[in-house]
Amino acid sequence: RGAAAPNNANIAWLYERCSNVRTDRMTPLVLASEVLDAIKSFEGDAQQSIEADTPYMLFKIFSNARARKDMTFVFDVSARALQIHGDPGATQESLREFHESAGGTG
């Protein structure tokens, strides 16, 4: 394994934001991974779809996580979703690397 890649600002922000969500079923890494997958699932440069559909995707994730719906989280992530979607460095691999560098396990 070579030198660690520098932390991606969008990944760091997403992980930190997910760390503040209370959920019975998901760790911050799992929650951030689900959110990242949801945002990256949009095809191409679908700005209107991303802006309109991200809140609904987040509500579904909250339901699966048995988490209290945190509207500030929904608004914050929705506002940054387009930026995360278009960031080629915002990947599951960079998320795992950030998690490990932050001292996370599992």
Side-chain angles (χ1 to χ4, degrees), residues 81-97:
L82 192 61
Q83 182 180 344
I84 293 169
H85 179 266
D87 182 351
T91 64
Q92 290 293 334
E93 181 179 359
S94 63
L95 177 60
R96 282 188 300 278
E97 287 174 1

Side-chain angles (χ1 to χ4, degrees), residues 15 28-29 95-106:
Y15 185 88
L29 176 62
L95 177 60
R96 282 188 300 278
E97 287 174 1
F98 182 83
H99 172 71
E100 290 170 7
S101 73
T105 59

